[in-house]
Amino acid sequence: MRKTMLLLPLLGVVTAGVQADENESGFALGIGVASEDSIYKGVGTETEALPFISYENGIFYIQGPEAGYYFIDNDDFKIGALARYRTDGYKASDSSDLKGMDERKGAFELGITASYDTDYGEWSATFASDASSEHEGNEIELGWEKRFPVSAKWSVTPEASVSYRSDDLNNYYYGVKTSEATVNRAAYTADADTVYEIGISAMYQIDQQQMIRMGASYTSYGDEIADSSIVEDDKSTSVSLLYMYRF
């Protein structure tokens, strides 16, 4: 349901290795595999392989389902606009517990992002709002990550984020309309809430063109999401693997 988004943190740090110089364009293609324990009832663990594209020329970038343009780029400080596709959602056929639910689709979002690179890591803030009239909500996310070189080929990057999701966003993906309610599935309206995530990834630089990045993360969902009658857990774990080839 959201494997593309799970691979984005891996792809973002890989992009830093794709671009050799701030005035030089970098282009890479790759394949990623992600596996996540879904919090939706009856869905279980989902695993999917996805192709990826990465491009950056200093002020413009493409990272899988996200593209952005930096209109302020002062060394360690950046502010830019972004467009992305949110891959959250489900179909009624995903599990017997979701039978009778209307499909919840992904959404095209527009927003603004800022980052500040310090000796203590890179700090980021992102605001994104639905531009496709699907969930009609928005999300604010604060993030941190820091890359630690281990050797000439290996590096490790811990990361953490907290996101505030609006009531419209949460209710679209986790609410249950009266027409969808059953004896075993109560109608439910979700309000705004917070999602926390921590993770760690490791990158191996095979050579100048090839790299592999592995990651694992843990996500904790607020009560407004966890209390939904179609949700069975307030936490999930995920693992992912990404191979990229730089041209």
Side-chain angles (χ1 to χ4, degrees):
M1 293 176 186
R2 57 184 289 269
K3 264 69 74 183
T4 305
M5 301 302 287
L6 289 173
L7 288 168
L8 267 178
L10 298 187
L11 189 63
V13 184
V14 169
T15 303
V18 170
Q19 187 178 349
D21 183 84
E22 63 178 4
N23 297 316
E24 178 183 318
S25 295
F27 174 69
L29 292 175
I31 183 74
V33 179
S35 181
E36 179 191 29
D37 296 326
S38 175
I39 64 172
Y40 287 109
K41 285 185 176 180
V43 175
T45 300
E46 295 184 295
T47 302
E48 189 173 355
L50 298 165
F52 262 89
I53 181 173
S54 173
Y55 173 80
E56 187 170 356
N57 68 359
I59 59 173
F60 175 77
Y61 69 87
I62 298 174
Q63 294 176 10
E66 179 176 312
Y69 177 83
Y70 295 114
F71 46 81
I72 295 179
D73 187 356
N74 296 330
D75 296 326
D76 297 328
F77 180 66
K78 296 181 179 181
I79 298 179
L82 66 84
R84 72 185 186 187
Y85 185 76
R86 177 182 292 271
T87 58
D88 292 6
Y90 60 83
K91 294 180 179 179
S93 59
D94 286 342
S95 83
S96 59
D97 294 281
L98 296 175
K99 184 179 180 180
M101 295 291 296
D102 293 335
E103 180 181 358
R104 300 307 199 264
K105 300 178 180 180
F108 177 68
E109 300 175 335
L110 298 176
I112 188 168
T113 183
S115 64
Y116 183 49
D117 197 5
T118 72
D119 292 339
Y120 302 99
E122 181 178 87
W123 306 82
S124 62
T126 300
F127 171 81
S129 182
D130 182 18
S132 57
S133 298
E134 290 295 343
H135 61 72
E136 298 184 337
N138 54 71
E139 179 179 28
I140 300 173
E141 181 176 3
L142 304 177
W144 168 87
E145 66 177 40
K146 182 170 175 59
R147 180 175 176 268
F148 294 93
V150 177
S151 66
K153 290 184 175 291
W154 281 99
S155 65
V156 176
T157 303
E159 54 200 31
S161 69
V162 55
S163 64
Y164 179 80
R165 300 182 179 182
S166 71
D167 51 358
D168 286 332
L169 190 157
N170 281 341
N171 196 49
Y172 179 74
Y173 289 112
Y174 305 105
V176 178
K177 294 179 286 188
T178 303
S179 60
E180 299 170 323
T182 66
V183 175
N184 298 314
R185 183 171 63 220
Y188 183 77
T189 301
D191 205 343
D193 212 336
T194 307
V195 176
Y196 301 90
E197 184 172 0
I198 57 173
I200 190 167
S201 57
M203 185 173 76
Y204 179 69
Q205 188 81 34
I206 301 173
D207 52 36
Q208 286 292 98
Q209 280 73 44
Q210 302 178 86
M211 59 194 79
I212 295 175
R213 193 166 181 85
M214 301 151 281
S217 67
Y218 171 88
T219 305
S220 176
Y221 298 85
D223 290 342
E224 289 295 327
I225 295 175
D227 289 345
S228 170
S229 56
I230 58 172
V231 171
E232 64 182 356
D233 207 343
D234 64 351
K235 59 186 179 298
S236 68
T237 56
S238 66
V239 293
S240 48
L241 177 67
L242 180 65
Y243 166 82
M244 297 291 289
Y245 185 90
R246 174 188 173 189
F247 294 89

